[in-house]
Amino acid sequence: MRQLAPVLRQDGVNSNLMSLIQTLLTACKEISFHVSQGDLAGMLGATADENIQGEQQKKLDVISNQLIKDVLLESGVVKAIASEEEDTTVAGDENGDYIVSFDPLDGSSNTDINSLIGTIFSVMKAPKDIAANDPALFLQKGRAQVAAGYVLYGPSTMLALTTGNGVRFFTLDKTHGEFLETHSNVQVPKDTKEFAINMSNQRHWQPAMQHYIADCIKGETGPLAKNYNMRWIAAMVGDVHRVLCRGGIFTYPQDTKNPNKPYKLRLLYEAMPMAMLVEQAGGLASTGYENILDIQPSEIHQRVAVILGSKNEVETCLSYHQKA
Ligand code: F6P
Ligand code: MN
């Protein structure tokens, strides 16, 4: 099994981007260690604070954010970072080549139940003409990503990574502390019979999603003519990992539960990097009306509707949106 560096070199990744990815992974290895220690490390549970998005911060959210932020800002190749846990962007090296957006610990409500969580990241080139302390650095479409991925802290710690040359999985060999390539050329099957959605929000969805899921549930005798199964991990990183492994459709659609918050997932550090991974693996990622990678962001903590996964199934779901 190959280590990360030779694989990245083969993919034509330059030395600065390679060093950025390896630096980020040093923090992820440390997070993996803390997560695996669970209650022994006294790091489970909530802090007294909320983040800018009004979400209760877990101790592990704060620790993970600090670890990643510190290593990236000291790397010398990062001009600025945007994190789910930071109110605004944080400046790094004025001459840094790259900007990084990240969700330090996705699915953090799973921390206290010893269930799947992960770090999601997105890397873009830093525009030269915008200052390191200007959030405008980050207002680029997902198509501009030069690397995207996640580290999943599960029974094993895995990295899913794309640098625009397909998707590869690496597994952390905890005996040596190295990520080793365990799957190259990851492909999302085009068809699926598995959907992932938080069904408890059903009555709050738009008509298009109501109709699509209703037809999924009708099964073999309904218009979609197949029996579906449902999964919901409540951590996007876990649900997207399953989709990359064996296909499926994952969605967090628009809803009317809270009129001030029609969407849940964040564009920069959840939707965009997952969309790049899914597209690089032959799948599709949309809001229902627009490809996620074509959205022009207007602010760093912007939220969007997400429908992603197996290409044919996502297209079926999109056809309900077109009809609506
Ligand atoms: O980061 C937001 C998130 O935790 C995702 O990881 C996950 O898919 C979703 O929210 C879960 O939402 P809910 O609590 O509504 O099931
Ligand atoms: Mn998240």
Side-chain angles (χ1 to χ4, degrees), residues 191-248:
D191 293 294
T192 183
K193 293 180 180 176
E194 204 159 60
F195 67 84
I197 191 165
N198 184 337
M199 282 297 295
S200 69
N201 294 327
Q202 184 174 26
R203 69 189 183 285
H204 304 293
W205 302 331
Q206 303 292 299
M209 192 55 80
Q210 296 259 12
H211 292 146
Y212 167 66
I213 295 293
D215 283 351
C216 290
I217 291 170
K218 285 178 192 152
E220 226 160 45
T221 52
L224 299 176
K226 51 183 173 179
N227 293 327
Y228 285 79
N229 195 7
M230 197 200 87
R231 289 287 182 270
W232 188 249
I233 292 176
M236 184 191 201
V237 69
D239 281 308
V240 171
H241 187 65
R242 186 188 59 258
V243 165
L244 286 177
C245 289
R246 66 173 191 218

Side-chain angles (χ1 to χ4, degrees), residues 51-84:
N51 65 17
I52 179 120
Q53 331 208 16
E55 290 164 353
Q56 173 86 70
Q57 281 183 313
K58 300 277 179 179
K59 287 183 201 161
L60 272 172
D61 283 327
V62 175
I63 292 160
S64 304
N65 182 55
Q66 197 64 48
L67 282 168
I68 298 175
K69 178 174 147 183
D70 286 350
V71 296
L72 289 179
L73 295 180
E74 282 163 16
S75 69
V77 295
V78 173
K79 187 161 179 174
I81 57 127
S83 163
E84 177 181 323

Side-chain angles (χ1 to χ4, degrees), residues 103 106-107 198 232 234-236 250 252 264-266 270:
D103 178 349
D106 177 62
N198 184 337
W232 188 249
M236 184 191 201
F250 163 85
Y252 212 112
K264 173 128 193 201
L265 300 176
R266 274 57 55 103
E270 294 180 321

Side-chain angles (χ1 to χ4, degrees), residues 164-316:
N165 230 328
V167 177
R168 299 174 190 278
F169 288 157
F170 300 81
T171 303
L172 180 61
D173 178 349
K174 292 186 180 171
T175 51
H176 302 103
E178 289 284 349
F179 279 98
L180 302 179
E181 188 189 38
T182 41
H183 207 303
S184 60
N185 192 25
V186 173
Q187 289 290 320
V188 179
K190 300 273 178 263
D191 293 294
T192 183
K193 293 180 180 176
E194 204 159 60
F195 67 84
I197 191 165
N198 184 337
M199 282 297 295
S200 69
N201 294 327
Q202 184 174 26
R203 69 189 183 285
H204 304 293
W205 302 331
Q206 303 292 299
M209 192 55 80
Q210 296 259 12
H211 292 146
Y212 167 66
I213 295 293
D215 283 351
C216 290
I217 291 170
K218 285 178 192 152
E220 226 160 45
T221 52
L224 299 176
K226 51 183 173 179
N227 293 327
Y228 285 79
N229 195 7
M230 197 200 87
R231 289 287 182 270
W232 188 249
I233 292 176
M236 184 191 201
V237 69
D239 281 308
V240 171
H241 187 65
R242 186 188 59 258
V243 165
L244 286 177
C245 289
R246 66 173 191 218
I249 181 168
F250 163 85
T251 174
Y252 212 112
Q254 179 177 355
D255 65 45
T256 54
K257 205 160 61 169
N258 173 351
N260 300 321
K261 204 175 108 179
Y263 314 110
K264 173 128 193 201
L265 300 176
R266 274 57 55 103
L267 178 60
L268 259 60
Y269 39 80
E270 294 180 321
M272 270 183 185
M274 294 312 205
M276 183 178 183
L277 284 167
V278 166
E279 197 167 283
Q280 283 286 320
L284 189 59
S286 170
T287 60
Y289 304 99
E290 190 178 11
N291 189 303
I292 286 181
L293 296 174
D294 293 327
I295 301 173
Q296 174 61 53
S298 53
E299 59 117 355
I300 60 163
H301 295 300
Q302 184 173 342
R303 295 172 189 262
V304 283
V306 173
I307 305 169
L308 62 76
S310 293
K311 194 162 186 289
N312 293 341
E313 194 64 35
V314 172
E315 279 170 354
T316 299

